[in-house]
Amino acid sequence: DSSTNTNSDAQSQHPSLILTQQGVKDIRANLGSIPIFDKTLAANKVEIDAEIENGFDVPIPKDYSGGYTHATHKRNYILMQKAGVLYQILDDEKYAKFVKDMLFQYAKMYPTLPIHPKPRSYARGKLFWQCLNDSNWLVYTSQAYDCIYDYLSEEERTTLETDLFKPYADFISKENPQFFNRVHNHSTWGNVAVGMIALAMEDDSLLQTALYGLKDVNLDASLKDNDGGFINQDDQKIGYFANLDEPFSPDGYYTEGPYYQRYAMYPFLIFAQALQNKKPDLKVLEYKEGVLLKGVNALLNLSDADGDFFLLNDAQKGMSYYNSSLISAVDIAYHFGGNNPELLSIAEKQDEVTLDDAGLAVAIGIKEGKTKPFVKKSIELSDGANGDEGAVGILRSGDLELVHKYTAHGLSHGHYDKLSFALFEDGKEVVQDYGMARYVNVEQKGGGNYLKENTTWAKQSIAHNTLVQNEQSHFQGKYDIGSKHHSESYIFSVNTDSVQVSSAKEENAYPGTKLHRTMVSIKETDLENPYVLDIMRVESSTENQYDLPFYYLGQVIQTSFDYSKSDVPQILGSANGYQHLYNEAISVADGANAKLTWLLDNKFYSYTAVTSHNDEIILARIGANDPAFNLRSEPTMIIRKRNTKEAVFVAAIESHGTYNPVSELAVNAYSHIKDVQLSYNDSNYTAVTIEDTKGGVQLFIIANNDNSKTKKHTLTINSTSHFWEGPYTLIKIK
Amino acid sequence: DSSTNTNSDAQSQHPSLILTQQGVKDIRANLGSIPIFDKTLAANKVEIDAEIENGFDVPIPKDYSGGYTHATHKRNYILMQKAGVLYQILDDEKYAKFVKDMLFQYAKMYPTLPIHPKPRSYARGKLFWQCLNDSNWLVYTSQAYDCIYDYLSEEERTTLETDLFKPYADFISKENPQFFNRVHNHSTWGNVAVGMIALAMEDDSLLQTALYGLKDVNLDASLKDNDGGFINQDDQKIGYFANLDEPFSPDGYYTEGPYYQRYAMYPFLIFAQALQNKKPDLKVLEYKEGVLLKGVNALLNLSDADGDFFLLNDAQKGMSYYNSSLISAVDIAYHFGGNNPELLSIAEKQDEVTLDDAGLAVAIGIKEGKTKPFVKKSIELSDGANGDEGAVGILRSGDLELVHKYTAHGLSHGHYDKLSFALFEDGKEVVQDYGMARYVNVEQKGGGNYLKENTTWAKQSIAHNTLVQNEQSHFQGKYDIGSKHHSESYIFSVNTDSVQVSSAKEENAYPGTKLHRTMVSIKETDLENPYVLDIMRVESSTENQYDLPFYYLGQVIQTSFDYSKSDVPQILGSANGYQHLYNEAISVADGANAKLTWLLDNKFYSYTAVTSHNDEIILARIGANDPAFNLRSEPTMIIRKRNTKEAVFVAAIESHGTYNPVSELAVNAYSHIKDVQLSYNDSNYTAVTIEDTKGGVQLFIIANNDNSKTKKHTLTINSTSHFWEGPYTLIKIK
Ligand SMILES: [Ca+2]
Ligand SMILES: [Ca+2]
Ligand SMILES: [Ca+2]
Ligand SMILES: [Mg+2]
Ligand SMILES: [Mg+2]
Ligand SMILES: [Mg+2]
Ligand SMILES: [Mg+2]
C-alpha cells in the first residue's frame, strides 16, 4: 500500500483519545447550529485567546497548594487541554503552537527537577507536592498532546516523549509504587495518567501497567498514607480495572459517597472514553456489567431536586451535578451509553458540554428536541464491590427526599453514622447531615484543609441523625473497626407511592446491641403531603443510655412539651462529639407525644415523637469547644433514654404548611399528625398507629425477623387480628 | 329634560369610586388584549365563581382575629369587593346578586348586634373585636355597593343605607370618637371607611366628617390606646387631611417606617382615587405638594434590590412591594401621577394589576412597551410633618445599599435606634437590623401578636447597629421622651459615585452626650467593589462606657485579633436588651485594626475597625433569656470602650470576594483594606486614612461643625496641609 498511511487505520491516528478524526469532522460540520456546543466553544476561545495574549509561565516547583507554582502548573494543564481542542476544532495553528511551546518548556525543565521540595506527602511529586497532582497534570496534558500530535514533527515528538512523558509516567508509577499500586482514588488518577499518555504515545507496555498495575513490587506492610490508611493490604489488587472493581458497587455507588464519587468519576470516565475510542475491544464500558455508566446514573440519583449531592461521609454542602466533572460524566454517559434522552435534561441545566465527540452528540440531541426530564425515583444503591455491604436507600415522594444510609464505612472519608438519615424538601435540607468540617480552598480556615473538628465533631455519631449508645460513637469511632463492618439492608420496597419502606439493621456498631431502623414514606389520601415514619428499634444485652438526635434546621415555633431553658447553655458531654454541643433546654417526658414544630424558609414542619415516661428531651445547639468558630451554630433535638436495654424510638416527620411574608398568611401552620403510638413490639413484630387530624388512622406493622415477600403473617393487637403477606403492611383503620 | 337621568351627570353616576363608567367601557373594549389585566381578571373570576358555588356565611360575631367569625367577615368584604368589580367588567348579574344577597344578610343582622363581645380593644367594633377591622370592612364594601348600585332598586338601596351603612358609619365615628378623631393609622382607616361610603351614598355631610373629623368632641386627656399611646393630644388634628398632614413628611416618608407605610397607603390612596374620580375639585393628589404620590415613590425607594422593605422600627422581614397594597399604590400612582414609565417595571414584577381604571392604564402602558426600569438612586427622605425631624439616608453604590436612620421616633412602632444603619448587597441583608420580634399571624407564637421580646429586645438600642452608653437605651427606652426628639441631618451628599456621604447628629438620646455618625460610600478605581466608611463620634461631659455593636450575618472566617472563647457563653448584661445577648468570646484590643472576615451566602465580607489599646471586642450571639425560642440565634461583634468621655469609632465595611461551592474556588477571600487610621480628631475636624492592598491611600476629612457647601477649609495633619471647600473631602494620597 503506497498511499499515505494517515487514513489507513483510524485507531492509530490522532486525535483519537477524546476527540476523534471523525468527531472533528462532524463538529466542524455542525458548528454554528448547535447552540450549547457553540456557546461552550466561544467561552473557551475567549479564555484561551486571552491567555495566548498574556503569555504563560512554567516556574520551578516549590509551593504547596494555594501557592503560585502549584496554581500555575495546575492552570497550565487546563489551558493546554483546552488549546489542543481549539486547535482541532478551529484548525488555527496558534493554539497548537501554544501547546507545543509550553510542552517544550516542560520537557526542558523536567529532567532537571528533583523531588518536590515540600515534604508533607507520602508520595511526593515533581511538579507538585504530591504525585496525585502530577497525575492530574498528565491526564490533561495527554489530551493536549494527542490533539497536536500531527502538528509536531516526528523529531519533536521524540524529544517530548523521551525527555518528558516517559520519565514522567515512570516517576508516578515505578518510582512511586506506594502511590500507584493501590485501590484508592489517588491510584486511579495515577493509573489513568499513565494510561492516557500510553494511548497518546501508543505504548502498549505502558498501557498494560496502567490497566493491571506494576508487577512484582513488594511494599512494606506498615506504610500508611496521609489520611492514615494502610497502603499495602493482603491480596492487594492493582491497576485501573482493580480500582473499578473495588470501590464501586454493582449499582455504581462509590463507597466514599457522592462528594468523592464526583471527583473520582472524571479519571475513570475520561480514560474509559479514550479506551473506547482507541481500544474498543477492551469493552471497558461493559466492564462489571457497565459499572461506569451505572456510576453516572447513581451519582445523578444521589442529588436533591436542584442537583446538590446528598451529604454522605465527608462532603461539602453545595457540591452538585453542575461540577465540571459531571459535565464530562453526563456527556460520556449519553454518547457511549445508548443516548438516554433523560441525560439531555441534565446537560441542558448544566448549560455546557465537553468539546468532543460526546459533547457534540449531546448538543445534537438537544438541538433535535430529544430531551426528556430526568425523573428521580426512589432507589436503593448497594455498597461494596459485590453489592453486599449495605446500601443507601432513597425514598422520594412528592417534594420530599429521604436519604437513609446503611452502607459500609466509606474508606478514610467515612463517618460513624450507621442507619442515619437526612430529609430534603424540594432541594432544601430540612433534617440535615452536617457534612464535613472543612472550608475547601478557604485558606483562612486551616489552609482550606480538613479541620480538626472534622474528626472531633463531623465524623462522630452524635453529629448524625442516628442512635448513640452511652455517648460513644459507633465502632468506638475507630476506622480499623468500622472498616470491617457494614449495615444490612432488610427491606427496600417502593412499588406504591402510598407506602414506601427502607429498613436496615446494624449489629456491629455496638457489640451486644442490635439496631434496626425502618423509615417509611406514607402518602395518605386525606393529607396534602406525604410524611415520614421513623422506627428505630434497639435491643441490647445490657442497660445503656440511648440518644437519638434530630438535626432539624430552622426556628422553633412550638413544642407540645414544657421545657426549661438554662440561663446559660451547658456543654452536653466531654468527648465523641458531645463536647461540641450546648444543652440549651431540657424537658422530662410524660409519656405523651413530644411534638416540635419549626419554620424553615417559610415552611412549617413538625416532628412528633413517641416518648416514654422519664425520657429526656434535650434542645441543643452546635458550637461548644469550637475555639475558631469553625462550626455552624445549628440546632438539634435529642431524645434520651437512660438505663434501658430495649427500646423503640418512633416518630413522624411532616412538612405541613407555609408562611407567606408578603401576604403574612400562615397556611396549615399546625401539624396534621394528631397522635403516634407504639401499638405493639416484641422480637417478631413492631406496630405503630398514626392518627391524623382529618380523622384518618393508619396501622403500620413490620415483621422484624423475616423479610420474605411471600411469608404470611398474623398478629393480634388489642384483640383485633391482622393478616398480611410480606415483611410489612399499612392498614387503614379509619 | 325627559330622558332618563342615568347619563346626565357622570359625577353622580355609578360606578364612580374606583371604577368609573368610562373606565368600564374602556376595560370591556380592551379585554383579551391586555395580558396582565386579563390574567388578574381570570384569577379573580375563578376565585369568585368557586365562592358563589360554595355559598357564603354571615355569622354572629364572637372571635378575636384568628377565629372563625373574624376570618369569615374579613373574607366576605374581599369577596364582595371582587364580585362587584366582576359584575361591572363582565356584566354578569350573578356577581351583583352575590353582593346583594350578602349585603342584605348584613343589613338584617347589623341592627341586632351589640358591641363585639371580646373586650381587649380601646375601641371595640361590632363585626370585629376592634373598630379598625370594622373600618376595613366598610372600605371594601363601599366599593362593592358602588359597583352594584344601579343593579339595586331604590327601595333596596334605602334599606341598605338605613339599616346598615349609615348606622355603621355612625358607629365607627360618632360612637367611637377616641378611634375616629386622631392622627393615627387606625383613624385613617376610620376616616376613609366613612368617606368611601359617603361617596357611594353621595352623603356630603358624612363626607365632611370623613375629611375634617367630628367636630365638638371632648375626649378624656388620660385615655390611652392598646399600644399605650395617648389618644387626646393638645391641638389634636382630626380627619383624613389631618392624617395626611402629620405622619407623612413632604418627601412622602411615613414616620412609622415602610413596613407600616405599606399598610397605611392603601386607605389613603383608595380614598384619594375615589375623591379624584368623584370630587376632582378637592385635588387631593395635589394636597401637600402631592405627598401621596411622593409617598409611593418613597416607599419604592425604601426597598432593597429585590423589593423587600428596609427594616425600620417595627417591621417583619420579607414584606415587600409585592404586597397587594403596593399593587394598588403603583397602579394609582401611574394612572393619576403622570404615567411615570418606571412604575410599569414594578407593575411587571408584581405581575398583577388592580381591576379598575388605574390597572387598565398600567396594563395598556405595559402592552404598548412603555416600560422603563425603576432605577433606585441614593436618596434622603426627610421625616416629620414639615420635613424637619431628621431623615433616612440611603446610599446606593454598585450592589450595596446602606440605610442610615436619623429620624424622629416613629410613633408607637419606633425603635430606640438613633443613627443606626443596615447594609444590603444585591437584595440580601449583610449587616442587619433585627426587625421586630413577632411572627405575624403565626398563632403559636403569642397569637401572632407582638411578643414581649419586641419590647425587651427588638426595640432596645443594643439590638441595633448604633452606640449604646452605659448599657442604657436611647431616651432611657421611654416612649414619652423619645417621641419628643429627633436626630438632625448634617450632610447628605451623593452627587458623585466615588464618594457619597450621609452624616447626622443626635444630641438628645443621652443628655450631656453628643453623637455624630458619618457614613461614607467610597468607590475607588483600583478596588472592584465600593466600601463603606463608618465614623461614629461621641463627646460627653462625663466618663461613660460606649458599646458599638455590629450585627453581621454569616459565619466567622477569620479575625485579625486573638480572642478567647468562653467554655459556655455568659449573659452580657441584665437589662435593656443586654439580657438577651450571650457573650461567646472576648478580646482586648492592642490598638491595631480589628478585622473580622465572614462568609454569607458564598460572599466574603470584612469589617476593619480602628481600636484603641484596651478596647474590648465582644463576639456575642442573640438568644439569652428567651424562654420560648422567640429570638433568632444570630451573631454580633461589639466594640466596647470603658471610662471614656470622647471617642471616635471608625471602621470600613467591604464585600470583597466570592466562594463557589461547585468549583470550590475562593476568589478574593481576603479583605482589600490594609489599614484604617484615625488621622485627626478635634471638635472641628475628623480625618480618617484608608490604605488598601492595591497600594491606594485615601484621606477622608469632615468638618464637624460647619456643613456649609461653600465654606473653605484648611487642615494640617502631620505637617501636610489640606485645602477644600464644603463640609468634607476625600483626598487621594496615593
Ligand atoms: Ca439543594
Ligand atoms: Ca431582600
Ligand atoms: Ca437578591
Ligand atoms: Mg439548592
Ligand atoms: Mg456525616
Ligand atoms: Mg429578597
Ligand atoms: Mg429595629
Side-chain angles (χ1 to χ4, degrees), chain A residues 304-308 318 320 322 424 426-429:
Chain A
D304 70 18
D306 41 31
D308 299 312
S320 74
Y322 294 94
F424 294 74
D426 196 22
K428 183 116 192 138
E429 289 177 280

Side-chain angles (χ1 to χ4, degrees), chain A residues 685 706 708-714 722-727:
Chain A
Y685 298 105
D706 189 338
S708 155
K709 287 177 185 167
T710 52
K711 176 70 177 286
K712 294 197 164 78
H713 297 272
T714 306
H722 303 282
F723 308 90
W724 76 96
E725 191 177 303

Side-chain angles (χ1 to χ4, degrees), chain B residues 304-306 308 425-428:
Chain B
D304 70 17
D306 41 32
D308 299 312
E425 181 170 29
D426 195 23
K428 183 115 192 140

Side-chain angles (χ1 to χ4, degrees), chain A residues 259 316 319 323 440-441 443-445 555-556 558 563 565 568-569 623 626-627 629 631 659 662 664 669-670, chain B residues 259 316 319 323 440-441 443-445 555-556 558 563 565 569 623 626-627 629 631 659 662 664 669-670:
Chain A
Y259 177 79
Q316 182 164 276
M319 180 56 73
N323 183 272
V440 180
N441 290 329
E443 198 184 18
Q444 297 106 313
K445 287 289 197 190
Q555 180 81 32
V556 172
Q558 195 177 41
Y563 51 80
K565 200 154 174 267
V568 297
D626 175 27
F629 290 98
L631 299 177
Y659 186 73
V662 173
E664 298 188 327
Y670 289 91
Chain B
Y259 177 79
Q316 181 163 276
M319 181 54 74
N323 184 272
V440 180
N441 291 329
E443 198 184 19
Q444 297 106 313
K445 287 289 196 190
Q555 180 80 33
V556 172
Q558 195 177 40
Y563 51 80
K565 198 152 175 270
D626 175 27
F629 289 99
L631 299 177
Y659 186 73
V662 173
E664 298 188 327
Y670 288 92

Side-chain angles (χ1 to χ4, degrees), chain A residues 259 262 316-320 322-324 436 439-445 555-558 563 565-571 582 584-585 597 599 604 619 621 623-633 659 661-666 669-670, chain B residues 259 262 316-320 322-324 436 439-445 555-558 563 565-571 582 584-585 597 599 604 619 621 623-633 659 661-666 669-670:
Chain A
Y259 177 79
R262 169 257 343 161
Q316 182 164 276
K317 297 195 174 185
M319 180 56 73
S320 74
Y322 294 94
N323 183 272
S324 63
M436 64 188 180
Y439 299 77
V440 180
N441 290 329
V442 177
E443 198 184 18
Q444 297 106 313
K445 287 289 197 190
Q555 180 81 32
V556 172
I557 291 297
Q558 195 177 41
Y563 51 80
K565 200 154 174 267
S566 316
D567 276 359
V568 297
Q570 301 303 313
I571 298 176
Y582 286 123
E584 294 193 313
T597 297
L599 184 66
F604 291 100
L619 297 172
R621 180 170 287 278
N625 285 297
D626 175 27
F629 290 98
N630 286 337
L631 299 177
R632 302 189 304 271
S633 175
Y659 186 73
V662 173
S663 67
E664 298 188 327
L665 289 179
Y670 289 91
Chain B
Y259 177 79
R262 168 261 338 165
Q316 181 163 276
K317 297 195 175 186
M319 181 54 74
S320 73
Y322 293 94
N323 184 272
S324 62
M436 64 189 180
Y439 298 77
V440 180
N441 291 329
V442 177
E443 198 184 19
Q444 297 106 313
K445 287 289 196 190
Q555 180 80 33
V556 172
I557 291 297
Q558 195 177 40
Y563 51 80
K565 198 152 175 270
S566 316
D567 275 358
V568 298
Q570 301 302 313
I571 297 175
Y582 286 123
E584 294 194 314
T597 298
L599 184 66
F604 291 100
L619 296 172
R621 181 169 287 277
N625 285 297
D626 175 27
F629 289 99
N630 285 338
L631 299 177
R632 302 189 304 271
S633 174
Y659 186 73
V662 173
S663 67
E664 298 188 327
L665 289 179
Y670 288 92

